[in-house]
Amino acid sequence: MQFIWVYIDDMAGKGLTLITIAQLMFYFSASIIPLALPLSILLASIMTFGNLGETYELIAAKAAGISIWRIFRPMFYLMILLSIFGFFVSNILIPKATLKYKALLYDIKQQKPALLIKEGVFYNGIEGISMRVGKKDPVTNELEDIVIYDNRSLGGKAVIITAESGKMHMSADERYLFFTLYNGSRYEEMDKQKGYERTQPHSMLNFSEEEIVFDMFAFNLNRTDESLFKDGYQILNVIQLQHKIDSLAELVNIRKTTPIHYYNLYLKINDSLYGKYIPKPMIVEENELMNDVLINKQMIISNALNNARTVKSVLDYTSTDVADTQKLSVRYNIEWHKKYTLSVACFIMFFIGAPLGSIIRKGGFGMPVVISVLLYIVFHVVSITGEKMAKTGTSTPQSGMWLAIMFLAPVGIFLTYQAANDSGLFDKSAWVKLANRIIHTFKKKTA
């Protein structure tokens, strides 16, 4: 549904086949795995250990001397496999699927709309043609009250064609569209004739039947070379991202030193130029000497101002260029850390869901679903907030991308500790006893 809402405008009226739409949705579905996998692990953990707690199987296992850590061990091994799968998805599957998805979506956006002629509305989907149909039979494709403005001529003058009725059909290879018109007329202005401005010559042709052919090659979906999109940060794996990050860091250092080299070079050039204007010692009249010094001084000041403006322009350009390069480097850094956060998030969600399920002792799709959704919303909101902070420069990519993990890791450790010690964290009677104890202690102190 997210895919349809976002891209329905790009696909509507393009005459796409079901296979093309299915390919696009299949490629897009890979990007949903990082959203679905942590939530799935969280929900499955709560439901599994909630069912074990609800049927008192956890209590029986603990009574037999089996610790909670030993009960978690098989699932821990499974989580290692799921974390490896999560890294494979982030590092291999999503980049390849995104590459194909972006290339196919670009082709769809560039494709011209398919022929969708509506009654009483001018259709401009065919290049150089504007047509209006008064009535259209969707079954037989018969048309009535047809008006066509043909602007394909080199002179720029429109050829106006009208017809009472007509039919349209495609060739066998769908390369050409044929319009067969009946009982109409063809009007064309002859602007290249001598004395056109005065006599307004034109040609008028009546016909009982005429066929117009349109080349539909531009409407076919042509696949773009995927190599055009291979440098995007979402397309690269960990090794490629690290290479990009190092290259951009080196590029930033080079561009930061460019103004210094430029300034030193400018000084050398201007020093050689200033030497030309230094007056040689000679016996001259006092007025002539003052004039030479004044002209020399004005020229030096003018050159200095021009040099200052040039250096300032270079510094401004370099500053903007460095800032843009650093922003691009941040995006590559964010994507690099994102490759690992999914695997770690799977572990965190397990160590939240498993002990939480053993504590609340509720299985099924009731309470576990509610708790899972609430916890996942917190994780997702904190994750998006950290990514936004990294993109805007409020925080580093490291701290921004790992913010959600650092936020929920203590929660997982706390819940695991509570489950290992048979905590009554969600036991109503335990909270009532704690409240009564606090009230009793408070009354003693005030007495």
Side-chain angles (χ1 to χ4, degrees):
M1 292 305 299
Q2 179 184 359
F3 166 79
I4 293 175
W5 289 336
V6 174
Y7 297 110
I8 186 64
D9 291 337
D10 297 324
M11 297 187 298
K14 298 298 180 70
L16 302 178
T17 62
L18 292 177
I19 295 177
T20 303
I21 297 176
Q23 285 180 342
L24 196 60
M25 297 187 71
F26 176 74
Y27 295 144
F28 180 80
S29 63
S31 63
I32 303 177
I33 296 178
L35 300 176
L37 189 59
L39 177 61
S40 303
I41 292 174
L42 178 62
L43 179 60
S45 302
I46 294 179
M47 290 179 62
T48 300
F49 287 91
N51 283 328
L52 293 175
E54 191 174 14
T55 55
Y56 299 101
E57 294 181 52
L58 286 178
I59 296 176
K62 291 178 181 179
I66 302 175
S67 66
I68 193 70
W69 301 107
R70 188 175 176 184
I71 297 173
F72 284 173
R73 190 184 303 168
M75 300 300 296
F76 179 79
Y77 295 146
L78 178 61
M79 288 311 305
I80 294 177
L81 296 178
L82 287 176
S83 297
I84 295 173
F85 171 73
F87 181 76
F88 167 77
V89 168
S90 297
N91 193 45
I92 305 296
L93 182 61
I94 290 181
K96 289 187 176 181
T98 304
L99 175 61
K100 294 184 177 294
Y101 159 70
K102 285 185 174 294
L104 182 56
L105 184 62
Y106 175 81
D107 296 335
I108 291 174
K109 288 181 177 180
Q110 295 299 315
Q111 185 189 10
K112 294 183 180 181
L115 194 63
L116 296 175
I117 301 177
K118 298 181 180 180
E119 296 180 357
V121 178
F122 275 96
Y123 175 77
N124 302 304
I126 302 176
E127 186 175 356
I129 298 294
S130 180
M131 67 175 68
R132 180 191 64 81
V133 174
K135 188 177 181 181
K136 175 183 176 182
D137 191 330
V139 179
T140 62
N141 287 333
E142 292 184 358
L143 311 173
E144 296 182 7
D145 189 15
I146 304 169
V147 178
I148 299 176
Y149 292 89
D150 189 348
N151 298 285
R152 294 177 296 176
S153 63
L154 296 178
K157 293 294 182 180
V159 176
I160 304 174
I161 302 173
T162 61
E164 294 181 0
S165 61
K167 291 182 179 180
M168 63 179 181
H169 65 278
M170 298 289 293
S171 60
D173 58 356
E174 296 188 352
R175 171 66 186 272
Y176 299 99
L177 174 67
F178 296 94
F179 263 86
T180 305
L181 306 178
Y182 302 100
N183 301 325
S185 61
R186 184 178 185 275
Y187 173 84
E188 181 179 2
E189 293 184 355
M190 305 171 66
D191 57 341
K192 294 185 179 181
Q193 298 294 325
K194 185 177 180 180
Y196 165 77
E197 294 83 359
R198 180 173 53 84
T199 59
Q200 298 291 323
H202 63 276
S203 65
M204 187 79 173
L205 174 67
N206 296 323
F207 58 85
S208 59
E209 181 178 344
E210 182 175 356
E211 189 171 67
I212 306 176
V213 182
F214 299 113
D215 189 354
M216 302 298 289
F217 177 77
F219 291 79
N220 295 330
L221 182 63
N222 300 314
R223 299 301 294 267
T224 302
D225 187 3
E226 294 177 355
S227 61
L228 297 175
F229 303 90
K230 66 179 181 180
D231 290 332
Y233 52 87
Q234 295 177 330
I235 313 298
L236 306 180
N237 56 34
V238 171
I239 298 175
Q240 294 168 332
L241 285 170
Q242 188 61 54
H243 177 71
K244 274 285 186 181
I245 293 169
D246 295 338
S247 300
L248 290 173
E250 184 179 354
L251 183 61
V252 168
N253 292 331
I254 293 174
R255 289 178 176 174
K256 283 182 177 179
T257 58
T258 299
I260 299 175
H261 297 305
Y262 180 84
Y263 180 70
N264 292 333
L265 178 63
Y266 220 84
L267 283 179
K268 291 180 180 179
I269 295 174
N270 288 320
D271 285 343
S272 62
L273 292 176
Y274 292 155
K276 297 179 180 179
Y277 303 112
I278 298 176
K280 297 179 180 179
M282 60 178 63
I283 301 174
V284 293
E285 295 293 335
E286 183 177 356
N287 293 336
E288 293 180 2
L289 181 61
M290 291 299 295
N291 290 334
D292 289 341
V293 172
L294 182 60
I295 293 173
N296 190 21
K297 182 178 179 181
Q298 291 175 346
M299 192 172 296
I300 292 174
I301 293 174
S302 178
N303 288 334
L305 288 174
N306 292 332
N307 295 344
R309 294 189 187 99
T310 303
V311 172
K312 183 179 182 298
S313 298
V314 172
L315 288 173
D316 291 340
Y317 172 78
T318 304
S319 177
T320 304
D321 195 20
V322 168
D324 293 339
T325 306
Q326 288 176 336
K327 287 180 181 179
L328 184 61
S329 179
V330 167
R331 298 304 296 266
Y332 283 105
N333 270 285
I334 289 173
E335 201 65 30
W336 188 89
H337 287 282
K338 194 180 291 185
K339 305 295 184 184
Y340 296 97
T341 53
L342 177 60
S343 299
V344 180
C346 294
F347 266 101
I348 296 298
M349 290 302 175
F350 170 73
F351 282 105
I352 290 177
L356 190 60
S358 63
I359 292 173
I360 63 176
R361 298 174 184 175
K362 291 289 184 181
F365 284 95
M367 183 64 69
V369 173
V370 177
I371 296 177
S372 299
V373 171
L374 292 177
L375 286 174
Y376 181 75
I377 288 175
V378 173
F379 167 76
H380 192 58
V381 169
V382 176
S383 178
I384 291 177
T385 302
E387 186 173 348
K388 292 289 185 182
M389 291 170 61
K391 288 180 180 179
T392 56
T394 309
S395 66
T396 61
Q398 294 84 350
S399 59
M401 294 308 298
W402 292 93
L403 180 63
I405 302 298
M406 293 186 291
F407 180 78
L408 290 181
V411 178
I413 295 172
F414 173 74
L415 291 175
T416 304
Y417 174 79
Q418 294 293 327
N421 292 275
D422 297 325
S423 169
L425 189 62
F426 292 92
D427 188 0
K428 183 179 178 181
S429 60
W431 287 100
V432 172
K433 290 180 180 178
L434 178 61
N436 290 332
R437 189 181 305 168
I438 294 173
I439 294 172
H440 183 68
T441 304
F442 180 75
K443 286 181 177 179
K444 277 187 175 181
K445 290 182 177 180
T446 55

